[in-house]
Amino acid sequence: FACRGAACYRLPGPRGPLCVFRNQLPRRNDTYSEEPPPEEPPPDLPSSPPSRLRDGAALCRVCGCLGPRVCGRCRRAAYCGPEHQALDWRRGHRRSCGQPAAGGDSAGAISEHNEFLFPEYEILIEPEEPEFPADSSIDPEDEQRAADTSKDLKEQEELRATGSAAFQSLDEETLEAMAKHETEEDKIFQIFKERVAAEPEQIIRYCRGGEGPIWVSGENIPEEKDIPDCSCGAKRIFEFQIMPQLLNHLQVDSLGESIDWGTLVVYTCADNCGAGNEYPEEFIWKQDFSAGS
């Protein structure tokens, strides 16, 4: 859960105005089969890119909670109660009430204003391909490009270390520290870009308890002591991270100021506690892009 106001993201603290909650079902339950669905779709099902979700339970157009109350005029717009119905009426529903929805959506479940809710989409899940398959060899041209990149970084580091006329007032030790910091930031951000280049549209990277997140910057990386234990006493471990590409789909620019992050990293209870609590709160860490990136 996130506030849409950009000003809130400038507040102090590691997570900003962000909250994350865990909800889980046992494998045997009354809702889903014990076995996962097949990874391959049926052969007669046409493949299509992720689409915006438009079906499901009627949800309040303002807050997204269940909406048992509907507009008495168009009978399509759903609300959780009279307060949000009145708010939506003032915010624009009175102009669109009874009018055909954009794209021929007769259900009218999607609000035409975006002050509160983010749009919903289907998420396609795919395993990450290894960078270099076991039966393949590294292309000599790739090796040469890597060597050229390393050479360029070394030359940049030497150039920064020598200083320039603008920094003649700084002592040599300060210049060396600045050069080293900038070079390390370049390397970390370059690793991030190279890792996501194969799937630039990915919005979530999931790897519970395994390989850690890929960071966008060397700044503001949490240490183990920064990740609080669960209320049950167990350690929290990395589960998934939310990528900056998600911002492209959230339609945040329409507000005139944009929320932003480099990556959001979620840590959850290693013991999966909370059988008696439907939505235990977990821990989220927000990292921004560095100024150099």
Side-chain angles (χ1 to χ4, degrees):
F1 294 87
C3 177
R4 297 194 63 139
C8 287
Y9 287 77
R10 294 188 284 270
L11 296 174
R15 72 180 192 181
L18 302 163
C19 295
V20 57
F21 298 88
R22 170 169 50 88
N23 176 245
Q24 60 196 35
L25 285 173
R27 182 167 181 174
R28 292 188 177 183
N29 63 82
D30 297 332
T31 306
Y32 299 103
S33 168
E34 293 183 35
E35 300 302 324
E39 295 185 2
E40 296 296 329
D44 57 341
L45 185 66
S47 60
S48 60
S51 58
R52 185 162 176 176
L53 301 179
R54 297 181 182 273
D55 298 324
L59 303 180
C60 174
R61 287 158 53 96
V62 175
C63 68
C65 296
L66 288 177
R69 186 186 186 97
V70 296
C71 174
R73 181 179 176 185
C74 67
R75 310 297 299 178
R76 292 189 293 115
Y79 302 98
C80 62
E83 293 83 3
H84 283 181
Q85 182 176 3
L87 177 61
D88 190 41
W89 183 263
R90 295 194 302 269
R91 293 295 183 101
H93 183 61
R94 59 183 171 186
R95 295 188 297 272
S96 60
C97 184
Q99 301 296 321
D105 177 19
S106 61
I110 307 297
S111 176
E112 65 270 10
H113 60 75
N114 298 310
E115 283 91 343
F116 303 100
L117 298 182
F118 294 122
E120 295 182 5
Y121 296 88
E122 177 186 4
I123 299 178
L124 301 183
I125 303 173
E126 297 179 351
E128 183 178 40
E129 297 294 334
E131 188 174 359
F132 298 108
D135 59 347
S136 66
S137 59
I138 300 176
D139 191 333
E141 293 185 1
D142 292 337
E143 288 185 327
Q144 183 60 46
R145 282 194 291 270
D148 292 342
T149 301
S150 177
K151 181 180 178 181
D152 291 342
L153 287 174
K154 184 177 181 180
E155 290 176 352
Q156 292 175 17
E157 185 175 356
E158 292 174 351
L159 182 61
R160 292 190 184 103
T162 58
S164 63
F167 295 106
Q168 286 180 355
S169 60
L170 299 178
D171 59 77
E172 184 175 348
E173 183 178 353
T174 303
L175 288 171
E176 288 286 353
M178 292 173 59
K180 181 178 180 180
H181 174 74
E182 291 176 1
T183 302
E184 289 301 318
E185 280 297 301
D186 291 341
K187 290 180 180 178
I188 292 173
F189 188 56
Q190 186 64 28
I191 291 172
F192 175 84
K193 291 196 298 182
E194 291 175 355
R195 190 67 181 272
V196 303
E199 297 290 342
E201 294 301 315
Q202 62 183 303
I203 59 171
I204 291 177
R205 293 180 62 87
Y206 182 92
C207 187
R208 176 173 167 79
E211 179 185 355
I214 52 173
W215 301 102
V216 300
S217 168
E219 301 174 354
N220 196 32
I221 295 179
E223 300 179 6
E224 185 175 354
K225 62 181 178 62
D226 297 320
I227 309 301
D229 293 344
C230 181
S231 58
C232 74
K235 293 286 186 182
R236 282 193 172 100
I237 59 175
F238 168 68
E239 181 155 342
F240 66 92
Q241 68 182 116
I242 301 174
M243 308 299 283
Q245 287 84 347
L246 181 62
L247 291 164
N248 296 331
H249 302 286
L250 295 185
Q251 302 177 8
V252 292
D253 291 334
S254 62
L255 297 177
E257 56 178 4
S258 177
I259 63 177
D260 194 19
W261 62 71
T263 188
L264 304 177
V265 183
V266 175
Y267 298 85
T268 59
C269 176
D271 291 346
N272 288 322
C273 73
N277 187 345
E278 294 183 354
Y279 289 92
E281 184 172 4
E282 296 290 10
F283 184 75
I284 186 169
W285 185 275
K286 174 177 176 284
Q287 187 192 44
D288 295 316
F289 290 102
S290 70
S293 301

